[in-house]
């Protein structure tokens, strides 16, 4: 068997194009340009790359973006004051503080300082609670889990009653993804580093999500034939030519012979994450403009229809 490749890049491009149309409409009808402010503290190269990608995607879709670059020695009070200024700025609809932050700063305090109505990362406890409760219409759902669900919808896989296994329980990927799958009536198992006999769980999965952070962690013997496999991992490894390249948590070559469909890395979940961030910022701006259905996804998701 050879798995169908779930083309996250192509789907995200279509989504970004639709977001651009909605952004233009919001500007024309309400004079509002959705604005995203990204705060980058320090000079971590990976963070700087992510921030650049987010800014470029914003600009291409017609959103206003601004990046606030602060030195690595920034004190917590200074950062909190900057966040408060952005909270009060009516031109800023979404605020994203790029993580990780330097050690002198308490990440939790910063996450809690962001206005929940501008928390397009969905990390504020209020939005986390809304996701846990299944109040998704009022929540900002974190971008990566939201993107995973959209990709699953794209494959057409039936989630209701499906056995779904998520490897990883982080607050930003594994746990919210498990909750979203549960809200869609999948039977969800969450595995982590203390799980005994991991393969006995993963082999039952109709839908397998890997969010571990270890290259090639999921091998063919861990996958049920025909399963839908979502690879969230982004791992930089050294190729045979000595150059660095990105790979996922799934051994792509092996697993593509067993799975029914599979996301590639790069080109799977990654581009969807950025598209969902734009969608969250658009939703925040619509909310601020008081337009109806502000938090409704843009067309392609069949969340409601499939419940
Ligand atoms: P994380 O916070 O490090 O969480 C990793 C999870 O994997 C933890 O829950 C850990 O379990 C579990 N784990 C570690 N070793 C394991 C093992 N041997 N067996 C089973 N589970 C194990 O990482 P994260 O932030 O969730 O990110 C996961 C991956 O996704 C990373 O590669 C990251 O770069 C990538 N990522 C991609 C995107 C995207 O847009 N594509 C976005 C975010 C993250 P414990 O909880 O027990 O420690």
């Amino acid at each position: 068997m050879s798995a169908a490749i779930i083309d996250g890049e192509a789907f995200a491009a279509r989504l970004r194009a639709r977001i651009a149309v909605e952004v233009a409409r919001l500007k024309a009808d309400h004079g509002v340009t959705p604005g995203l402010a990204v705060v980058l503290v320090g000079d971590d190269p990976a963070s700087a790359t992510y921030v650049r990608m987010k800014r470029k995607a914003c600009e291409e879709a017609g959103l206003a973006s601004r990046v606030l670059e602060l030195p690595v020695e920034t004190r917590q009070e200074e950062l909190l004051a900057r966040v408060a200024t952005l909270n009060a700025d009516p031109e800023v609809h979404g605020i994203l503080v790029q993580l990780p932050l330097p050690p002198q700063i308490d990440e939790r305090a910063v996450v809690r300082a962001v206005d929940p109505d501008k928390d397009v990362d969905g990390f504020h406890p209020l939005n986390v609670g809304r996701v846990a409760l299944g109040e998704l219409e009022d929540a900002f759902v974190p971008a990566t889990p939201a993107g995973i669900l959209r990709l699953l919808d794209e494959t057409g896989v039936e989630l209701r009653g499906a056995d779904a296994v998520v490897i990883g329980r982080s607050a930003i990927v594994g746990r919210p993804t498990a909750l979203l799958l549960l809200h869609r009536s999948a039977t969800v198992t969450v595995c982590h580093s203390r799980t005994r006999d991991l393969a006995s769980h993963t082999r039952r999965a109709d839908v397998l999500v890997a969010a571990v952070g270890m290259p090639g962690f999921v091998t063919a013997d861990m996958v049920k034939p025909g399963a839908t496999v979502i690879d969230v991992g982004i791992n930089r490894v050294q190729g045979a030519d000595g150059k660095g390249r990105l790979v996922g948590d799934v051994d792509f070559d092996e697993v593509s012979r067993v799975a029914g469909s599979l996301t590639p890395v790069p080109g799977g979940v990654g581009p969807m994450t950025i598209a969902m961030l734009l969608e969250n910022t658009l939703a925040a701006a619509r909310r601020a403009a008081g337009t109806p259905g502000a938090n409704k996804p843009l067309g392609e998701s069949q969340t409601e229809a499939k419940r």
Side-chain angles (χ1 to χ4, degrees):
M1 189 190 299
S2 186
I5 303 307
I6 305 168
D7 190 345
E9 189 70 63
F11 184 48
R14 292 202 297 278
L15 194 52
R16 289 197 307 270
R18 287 205 307 281
I19 290 168
V21 170
E22 293 297 323
V23 167
R25 185 170 300 158
L26 191 65
K27 273 187 212 173
D29 294 351
H30 296 272
V32 173
T33 301
L36 176 68
V38 179
V39 184
L40 176 62
V41 186
D43 44 20
D44 177 62
S47 292
T49 303
Y50 290 137
V51 168
R52 244 192 337 270
M53 287 161 73
K54 288 165 186 172
R55 177 173 218 167
K56 182 164 171 276
C58 276
E59 282 163 6
E60 285 173 3
L63 287 86
S65 78
R66 73 171 85 146
V67 178
L68 196 62
E69 290 184 55
L70 300 174
V72 69
E73 63 274 9
T74 300
R75 286 178 307 114
Q76 178 162 322
E77 301 72 52
E78 165 71 7
L79 179 55
L80 292 176
R82 299 294 193 121
V83 169
T85 305
L86 295 172
N87 281 343
D89 187 335
E91 288 182 7
V92 172
H93 303 100
I95 301 170
L96 184 158
V97 181
Q98 186 67 42
L99 303 179
L101 291 167
Q104 76 276 14
I105 297 175
D106 176 3
E107 271 183 16
R108 293 199 334 171
V110 176
V111 165
R112 281 163 171 71
V114 174
D115 179 345
D117 288 336
K118 297 190 178 189
D119 170 39
V120 287
D121 253 344
F123 295 165
H124 189 286
L126 190 63
N127 285 311
V128 174
R130 286 168 173 156
V131 170
L133 289 167
E135 296 173 4
L136 303 183
E137 293 292 305
D138 300 326
F140 288 112
V141 179
T144 301
I148 291 169
L149 266 286
R150 289 294 180 85
L151 280 181
L152 287 171
D153 283 340
E154 179 71 350
T155 66
V157 65
E158 174 66 271
L159 293 177
R160 185 168 25 192
D163 279 321
V165 174
V166 180
I167 319 176
R169 57 173 163 177
S170 73
I172 62 167
V173 188
R175 234 177 301 156
T177 301
L179 282 166
L180 294 177
L181 288 164
L182 187 61
H183 295 322
R184 297 286 297 276
S185 297
T187 302
V188 183
T189 304
V190 185
C191 299
H192 45 78
S193 67
R194 305 300 162 97
T195 298
R196 282 194 304 248
D197 193 3
L198 180 66
S200 71
H201 297 282
T202 60
R203 270 198 295 268
R204 283 192 292 103
D206 303 307
V207 173
L208 179 61
V209 179
V212 187
M214 289 196 223
F217 182 79
V218 175
T219 47
D221 57 312
M222 295 168 70
V223 176
K224 178 176 174 175
T228 302
V229 180
I230 305 290
D231 188 353
V232 189
I234 301 179
N235 308 291
R236 183 162 287 279
V237 296
Q238 193 116 352
D241 55 2
K243 290 192 186 138
R245 64 188 182 100
L246 295 181
V247 298
D249 289 342
V250 175
D251 182 329
F252 185 86
D253 292 341
E254 258 195 30
V255 170
S256 61
R257 288 189 212 115
V258 181
S261 53
L262 171 63
T263 58
V265 177
V269 176
M272 286 303 292
T273 295
I274 293 188
M276 299 313 293
L277 173 68
L278 300 187
E279 195 179 285
N280 277 352
T281 307
L282 171 62
R286 281 168 150 180
R287 244 193 222 183
T291 64
N295 254 15
K296 289 258 164 55
L298 299 175
E300 216 156 312
S301 169
Q302 294 145 36
T303 308
E304 293 307 317
K306 288 202 165 178
R307 273 209 172 130

